[in-house]
């Protein structure tokens, strides 16, 4: 019944303790008349004495430490000092909790702002490279689905999402004459194009928030057999997020129209993915991908 009672600051012993920021003792509740509205409840419970110690942090009353006695009790100086110390520890704990909640809220706001910035970068890339417009959002969602199917922990998924969104961010350093060239690239142009994962690493690695997401932008062109770029990693040297993304990235590219070729039929693209298991792609990731596409009825 006590949680249903509402008191104003200054009302009764509890209200006075909160208002005056000092302990208030009532040695004999039978003689007290200012405990309304719940004096009758306390008497019915058999309480004889009462003590309220305010919980104060940074000058603000956060609550009360209330003690109810069934025998008459008048606190001495030592017991009051102990209870005030205890109330002080409670105040510190409450204040720390509030600070933590505020910090978590600030971090969430900052995370939302970072993600909005990332999405802005993606839109800028789409505007620059029209032939792959929409590709990034498609592969991001499918990469997350495949990561879940492979048992990637939920707390790692935000990093994978950011990495997938930023997988081609290094192309911002590629000149338009190469990026938007309608015909085949020269050997020199291909050498520069193949550096876009390195450009991505150089761009993103100074940003601590994005370092856990770097594996996809930096490693998504590595191949299981070691013939990929930029570092020629092979097998499980390639981070799992990059191995997952590589399959999705190639499948989406094959099944999308490009200026230099029409989209492949679904079955032809899946046959290519299947054939590249153990060469371009991690065989385990390919198996999970084919199961995922089959369940989705074609992706």
């Amino acid at each position: 019944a006590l949680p249903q009672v509402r008191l104003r600051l200054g009302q009764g012993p509890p209200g006075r303790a909160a208002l005056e920021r000092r302990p208030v003792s009532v040695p004999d509740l039978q003689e007290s008349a200012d405990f309304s509205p719940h004096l009758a409840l306390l008497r019915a419970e058999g309480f004889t004495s009462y003590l309220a110690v305010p919980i104060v942090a940074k000058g603000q009353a956060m609550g009360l430490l209330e003690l109810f006695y069934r025998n008459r009790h008048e606190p001495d100086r030592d017991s009051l000092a102990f209870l005030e110390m205890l109330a002080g520890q409670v105040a510190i704990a409450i204040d720390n909790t509030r600070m933590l909640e505020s910090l978590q809220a600030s971090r969430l706001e900052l995370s939302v702002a970072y993600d909005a910035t990332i999405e802005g970068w993606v839109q800028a890339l789409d505007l620059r490279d029209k032939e792959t417009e929409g590709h990034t959002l498609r592969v991001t969602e499918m990469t997350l689905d495949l990561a879940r199917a492979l048992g990637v922990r939920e707390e790692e998924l935000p990093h994978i999402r950011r990495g997938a969104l930023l997988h081609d961010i290094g192309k911002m350093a590629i000149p338009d004459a190469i990026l938007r060239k309608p015909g085949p690239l020269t050997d020199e142009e291909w050498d520069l194009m193949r550096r876009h994962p390195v450009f991505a690493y150089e761009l993103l690695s100074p940003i601590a928030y994005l370092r856990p997401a770097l594996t996809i932008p930096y490693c998504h062109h590595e191949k299981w057999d070691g013939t990929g770029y930029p570092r020629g990693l092979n097998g499980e040297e390639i981070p799992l997020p990059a191995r997952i993304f590589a399959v999705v990235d190639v499948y989406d590219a094959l099944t999308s129209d490009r200026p230099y070729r029409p989209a492949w039929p679904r079955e032809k693209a899946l046959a290519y993915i299947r054939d590249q298991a153990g060469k371009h792609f991690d065989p385990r990731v390919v198996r999970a991908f084919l199961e995922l596409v089959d369940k989705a009825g074609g992706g």
Side-chain angles (χ1 to χ4, degrees):
L2 283 178
Q4 307 306 315
V5 175
R6 296 291 181 265
L7 294 175
R8 296 186 303 274
L9 280 176
Q11 180 183 3
R16 290 204 311 276
L19 179 64
E20 298 171 11
R21 312 286 199 273
R22 65 174 182 82
V24 172
S25 174
V26 181
D28 190 346
L29 287 172
Q30 299 297 326
E31 297 177 358
S32 175
D34 65 347
F35 228 114
S36 178
H38 59 300
L39 179 60
L41 174 65
L42 299 181
R43 288 173 174 169
E45 187 65 28
F47 293 131
T48 301
S49 299
Y50 169 84
L51 175 64
V53 181
I55 298 171
V56 180
K58 298 176 182 176
Q60 178 184 2
M62 296 183 171
L64 293 174
L65 180 61
E66 293 185 295
L67 292 90
F68 300 88
Y69 301 90
R70 297 188 188 278
N71 297 311
R72 183 180 175 87
H73 179 81
E74 293 190 47
D76 56 29
R77 184 172 60 184
D78 289 342
S79 63
L80 273 180
F82 171 76
L83 291 172
E84 286 181 305
M85 180 195 70
L86 186 60
Q89 293 299 313
V90 173
I92 291 170
I94 293 173
D95 190 50
N96 287 344
T97 300
R98 289 182 175 179
M99 289 175 61
L100 179 60
E101 290 172 349
S102 177
L103 179 61
Q104 289 173 334
S106 297
R107 289 184 63 183
L108 178 60
E109 291 173 3
L110 185 59
S111 177
V112 169
Y114 270 127
D115 286 347
T117 301
I118 291 170
E119 290 170 12
W121 289 350
V122 171
Q123 290 175 1
L125 280 172
D126 279 350
L127 289 172
R128 186 165 179 242
D129 190 4
K130 285 290 185 180
E131 75 175 55
T132 59
E133 187 172 5
H135 164 76
T136 298
L137 294 180
R138 290 195 303 271
V139 296
T140 297
E141 292 308 312
M142 189 178 289
T143 298
L144 291 172
D145 290 341
L146 183 54
R148 292 187 183 98
L150 284 162
V152 173
R153 292 179 301 176
E154 197 68 26
E155 58 267 29
E156 295 179 16
L157 295 181
H159 303 305
I160 290 177
R161 177 180 180 273
R162 294 178 192 121
L165 286 171
L166 293 170
H167 74 278
D168 271 344
I169 193 69
K171 288 183 178 178
M172 293 182 74
I174 304 298
D176 282 351
I178 297 176
L179 187 65
R180 305 173 72 173
K181 186 175 180 178
L185 299 180
T186 66
D187 290 344
E188 293 79 9
E189 290 168 340
W190 265 119
D191 286 343
L192 183 58
M193 181 66 84
R194 288 191 181 100
R195 284 185 55 77
H196 79 267
V198 177
F199 295 147
Y201 180 84
E202 292 172 349
L203 174 67
L204 300 178
S205 58
I207 306 173
Y209 178 80
L210 294 176
R211 282 178 201 145
L214 263 177
T215 55
I216 291 178
Y218 193 27
C219 303
H220 70 285
H221 284 297
E222 303 287 356
K223 295 184 179 181
W224 185 256
D225 63 6
T227 61
Y229 61 89
R231 291 183 292 164
L233 303 179
N234 68 84
E236 294 189 358
E237 290 178 351
I238 307 167
L240 179 60
R243 284 181 267 147
I244 292 171
F245 181 82
V247 176
V248 174
D249 187 39
V250 171
Y251 176 76
D252 186 82
L254 293 175
T255 55
S256 301
D257 287 323
R258 293 289 187 266
Y260 48 85
R261 61 152 177 83
W264 284 17
R266 170 181 175 271
E267 291 306 322
K268 181 180 178 181
L270 290 176
Y272 177 82
I273 297 293
R274 193 178 292 110
D275 178 68
Q276 289 297 309
K279 302 173 188 176
H280 189 157
F281 308 122
D282 178 346
R284 181 171 72 99
V285 174
V286 169
R287 287 194 297 271
F289 175 78
L290 294 174
E291 291 174 6
L292 184 67
V293 171
D294 184 60
K295 288 178 183 177

